[in-house]
Amino acid sequence: DIDHLNLRVQKELVEWLNWLKADIGFDGWRFDFAKGYSADVAKIYIDRSEPSFAVAEIWTSLAYGGDGKPNLNQDQHRQELVNWVDKVGGKGPATTFDFTTKGILNVAVEGELWRLRGTDGKAPGMIGWWPAKAVTFVDNHDTGSTQHMWPFPSDRVMQGYAYILTHPGTPCIFYDHFFDWGLKEEIDRPVSVRTRHGIHSESKLQIIEADADLYLAEIDGKVIVKLGPRYDVGNLIPGGFKVAAHGNDYAVW
């Protein structure tokens, strides 16, 4: 165990981070198991090494109902993520992985897409509150891959990417999906749409529809994304939009 309250430990870790930055060329940090030490300590490491980007893994359980599924309201869960960023410094480079969005998406794509509109009409994850500080993802080395601890439904992974790659927040692509699953070309298409239209972490999200079998949203008035098996949505798509990416139960205009 590392005693992060020990001043010598702090000093040596800061020196190591600055060595990684100056001599090796790293310019960002990922804080593993960040709930294992205080945000005040993480702030010391960030302030004294000045990375261009930092992201924390704060993985806590969502609130579940008697049916074993997440409650619609996950405000307490995303508040934990917001609180960490607040304490570390909201104006700095600190962000957190949006585990709230991950947990809700896991269930939503299984015929419960209504979950993707929160009670306030916004996105239900951290991206609905502070998208500039939310790093969205479908799976990572813990949840997917060999550990398989909270995996995304494998046959619906591209629905997850269609969502995070068109929405606010900073999307993160899982190595396994991109290189090992043969999804590189399919993931590339919504990435290109995001880049071409300048969709960014604070883009404006307008949720048009969120039913069991259909989620439809417009981003910055430039991009529209559809999740779900409902096929006939032409009456909901404004004129001038053309399909730029599509696959199993998703499309991007």
Side-chain angles (χ1 to χ4, degrees):
D1 289 350
I2 298 175
D3 181 5
H4 288 282
L5 297 179
N6 184 300
L7 295 181
R8 181 182 172 187
V9 168
Q10 291 178 8
K11 179 177 178 291
E12 292 187 357
L13 279 175
V14 167
E15 288 174 355
W16 178 64
L17 289 171
N18 282 311
W19 172 78
L20 286 172
K21 196 175 150 195
D23 289 22
I24 308 300
F26 284 97
D27 61 357
W29 316 131
R30 175 189 182 275
F31 287 90
D32 191 52
F33 193 65
K35 66 178 183 179
Y37 45 93
S38 74
D40 295 329
V41 168
K43 177 176 171 59
I44 290 170
Y45 298 142
I46 290 174
D47 288 351
R48 295 181 187 175
S49 64
E50 298 184 338
S52 61
F53 180 77
V55 59
E57 180 202 43
I58 304 163
W59 185 359
T60 57
S61 179
L62 273 65
Y64 288 89
D67 59 358
K69 292 183 178 181
N71 295 336
L72 180 60
N73 186 320
Q74 295 293 337
D75 287 357
Q76 184 177 346
H77 191 268
R78 54 181 173 173
Q79 188 66 54
E80 279 188 74
L81 304 179
V82 166
N83 288 348
W84 188 90
V85 175
D86 262 336
K87 288 180 180 177
V88 171
K91 293 181 180 179
T95 65
T96 65
F97 286 112
D98 190 349
F99 277 92
T100 319
T101 289
K102 152 72 172 166
I104 294 169
L105 258 181
N106 267 22
V107 181
V109 297
E110 301 272 32
E112 299 182 4
L113 291 164
W114 49 268
R115 292 179 176 275
L116 296 179
R117 175 159 52 194
T119 52
D120 57 3
K122 298 179 181 179
M126 188 182 178
I127 58 171
W129 278 3
W130 203 355
K133 296 296 184 178
V135 175
T136 51
F137 67 103
V138 174
D139 265 326
N140 63 27
H141 63 284
D142 289 320
T143 68
S145 196
T146 53
Q147 296 202 62
H148 234 59
M149 289 173 64
W150 200 27
F152 204 85
S154 60
D155 58 337
R156 300 169 195 265
V157 159
M158 278 309 304
Q159 287 187 55
Y161 281 113
Y163 183 89
I164 69 169
L165 291 171
T166 56
H167 277 52
T170 302
C172 183
I173 297 168
F174 185 34
Y175 181 101
D176 290 27
H177 293 157
F178 198 72
F179 292 105
D180 300 340
W181 285 36
L183 294 176
K184 180 180 184 297
E185 287 186 13
E186 197 171 355
I187 290 173
D188 271 342
R189 286 192 281 272
V191 168
S192 297
V193 171
R194 185 181 186 89
T195 304
R196 190 163 62 246
H197 292 285
I199 303 303
H200 54 87
S201 64
E202 296 183 86
S203 285
K204 183 184 177 186
L205 172 67
Q206 181 196 352
I207 298 172
I208 301 168
E209 201 74 65
D211 294 329
D213 63 345
L214 173 67
Y215 172 79
L216 194 69
E218 187 175 306
I219 301 89
D220 281 349
K222 300 174 182 176
V223 173
I224 292 177
V225 61
K226 184 214 99 167
L227 306 183
R230 194 188 301 180
Y231 184 76
D232 184 16
V233 295
N235 61 318
L236 297 172
I237 308 296
F241 282 85
K242 294 182 180 179
V243 175
H246 65 90
N248 183 29
D249 289 347
Y250 78 90
V252 179
W253 287 263

